[in-house]
Amino acid sequence: MKVIFKTSYDRDIDLHKDGWSRARIAALVAVLAALPFLVGEYYLAEATNTLIWALAGMGLMLLVGHSGQVSLGHAAFLAIGAYTDAALMNAGLPFLVTFPAAALAAGLFGALVAIPAVRMSGIYLAIATLALFVIVEEMVIILEPITGGVGGIMAPAIEIAGINFDRYANLDHFYWLCLTVVVLVTWGYANLLRSPTGRSFLAVRDSEVSARALGINVTRTRALAFGLSCAMTGLAGALMGHYIAFFNYELFSVFISINLLLVVTIGGLGFIQGAFFGAILITAVPQLIAILRGVARDSLGLDIGGMPGLDTMLFALILVGFIIYEPTGLYGRWLKTKVWFELFPLARRDMFRRQKSYLKTERQK
């Protein structure tokens, strides 16, 4: 008779620490799924935009927060995803084919470019990705028969199994589509981080010398992270194209890349949740500025609507404030607050003074 002894190591690995964690996430997803029945069309459109930014933020978070690289040209991969999806749909292919094709095109292009680029680090890698952005912008103009050039291109309405997912005709359907994509990508992202590949990303981020000592091919690992990051960003670009409906290369400017960096930096480097916190902030601040402009005009008689650079200045102040006072971002602040309440009254102000942040590009490799 064969006796099998099972230990705690034989149980399936679960993404959740306990049943309460699983219940919280299920409740959050349920609330988000019911959002079209709870809010009006304007707020639903803003929520859809936030989901798209969160998806793009997760793409950059994989590169910056979990593999220790930097990119100033990720808007290029948003453009590749958007143009690939729109061009293939205009050619007659269904969305279920063009959508993964957009991720594949952005991922392959990113991986090919990453092979020489990832041998650089710090400011040199940032400059290389910025140059890549310029190249993609010129390619969009040159490939005018496919991309529409300067005039732009129309992203056709999405139809799946006879159901219309047009952003303007059926916003609730398009919102549910974006929510489904974000949930699936988040689930896959979380599983990736606990896999050997994800752990190799973290090892390279923390110390390339130690990673090499463990037998990790640093160049291949960084190139793989770059490719996966670009693929996720390509998905966000495809959805962004359908959200805008008609776009040209000016939509994917260098300011979009900077805003993506704001998403991951302000949200919290090294945390998947940070991409969502940052996306909420990056979409809420312009609306807050519009409200303040209306209050200043109606109540104080001050017309600040035409003040140039107000949004950029406010984002810069927010970024500088977080870098100085809260380098772990919004999600890091949430974790500190949570720990403070758990340890009260034993918590002290200096508990997190020695806490380190990621992406130390000037450290000794």
Side-chain angles (χ1 to χ4, degrees):
M1 180 177 180
K2 185 177 181 180
V3 180
I4 300 178
F5 296 95
K6 290 189 176 182
T7 65
S8 60
Y9 297 100
D10 297 319
R11 294 179 297 181
D12 294 333
I13 299 176
D14 196 347
L15 286 173
H16 311 286
K17 294 183 294 185
D18 48 37
W20 174 239
S21 175
R22 189 182 297 107
R24 289 201 310 267
I25 294 178
L28 176 61
V29 173
V31 171
L32 291 176
L35 200 62
F37 305 105
L38 304 176
V39 300
E41 185 175 349
Y42 174 79
Y43 292 103
L44 186 60
E46 290 300 316
T48 306
N49 190 32
T50 302
L51 288 176
I52 296 174
W53 274 96
L55 181 58
M58 283 192 288
L60 189 59
M61 183 69 76
L62 178 62
L63 186 69
V64 179
H66 289 122
S67 68
Q69 303 177 73
V70 65
S71 172
L72 287 178
H74 244 54
F77 303 104
L78 283 172
I80 291 174
Y83 277 103
T84 300
D85 175 78
L88 292 178
M89 288 193 71
N90 285 325
L93 294 177
F95 178 76
L96 293 179
V97 175
T98 63
F99 189 57
L104 183 62
L108 288 177
F109 187 79
L112 290 175
V113 171
I115 294 175
V118 296
R119 298 182 184 275
M120 297 177 282
S121 61
I123 188 64
Y124 303 104
L125 179 58
I127 294 174
T129 55
L130 187 60
L132 172 64
F133 164 77
V134 176
I135 293 173
V136 171
E137 188 177 56
E138 293 298 324
M139 288 176 57
V140 170
I141 299 176
I142 294 173
L143 299 175
E144 183 176 357
I146 300 175
T147 63
V150 179
I153 189 174
M154 174 70 73
I158 301 172
E159 186 172 338
I160 303 175
I163 302 175
N164 192 312
F165 290 87
D166 182 62
R167 176 255 193 271
Y168 294 98
N170 294 285
L171 180 58
D172 51 349
H173 291 172
F174 184 70
Y175 168 80
W176 283 322
L177 175 64
C178 294
L179 178 62
T180 302
V181 173
V182 169
V183 169
L184 291 177
V185 170
T186 305
W187 175 78
Y189 191 176
N191 277 278
L192 173 66
L193 291 182
R194 64 179 187 158
S195 68
T197 301
R199 294 181 186 276
S200 67
F201 292 163
L202 302 180
V204 171
R205 177 198 68 187
D206 293 337
S207 174
E208 292 185 10
V209 174
S210 300
R212 287 193 177 94
L214 292 172
I216 297 174
N217 188 323
V218 173
T219 302
R220 184 175 61 189
T221 300
R222 294 179 69 184
L224 179 60
F226 208 99
L228 291 176
S229 170
C230 295
M232 294 168 63
T233 308
L235 291 177
L239 292 178
M240 187 175 292
H242 287 285
Y243 181 81
I244 303 298
F246 184 84
F247 58 90
N248 63 3
Y249 72 97
E250 293 180 349
L251 173 65
F252 307 99
S253 64
V254 68
F255 295 105
I256 297 296
S257 297
I258 296 175
N259 285 342
L260 279 177
L261 280 176
L262 287 175
V263 167
V264 299
T265 304
I266 296 175
L269 281 176
F271 303 103
I272 297 179
Q273 298 89 335
F276 291 88
F277 279 80
I280 292 173
L281 181 67
I282 208 73
T283 54
V285 168
Q287 304 304 320
L288 178 61
I289 292 175
I291 294 174
L292 292 178
R293 282 173 172 168
V295 172
R297 183 182 62 253
D298 298 337
S299 302
L300 304 177
L302 299 176
D303 186 11
I304 60 175
M307 184 180 297
L310 182 61
D311 297 13
T312 304
M313 181 185 69
L314 186 56
F315 277 127
L317 291 176
I318 293 174
L319 178 60
V320 172
F322 271 96
I323 291 176
I324 297 176
Y325 299 105
E326 192 52 74
T328 56
L330 289 171
Y331 188 70
R333 170 49 55 187
W334 158 250
L335 291 179
K336 292 177 183 179
T337 304
K338 181 180 177 182
V339 170
W340 191 90
F341 278 105
E342 289 176 351
L343 298 179
F344 183 83
L346 302 178
R348 294 294 180 268
R349 180 180 298 177
D350 295 337
M351 288 174 53
F352 303 99
R353 184 176 295 275
R354 296 179 59 85
Q355 187 171 6
K356 298 180 180 180
S357 59
Y358 298 124
L359 195 60
K360 297 188 175 179
T361 55
E362 299 302 324
R363 65 180 176 234
Q364 183 178 0
K365 296 295 184 181

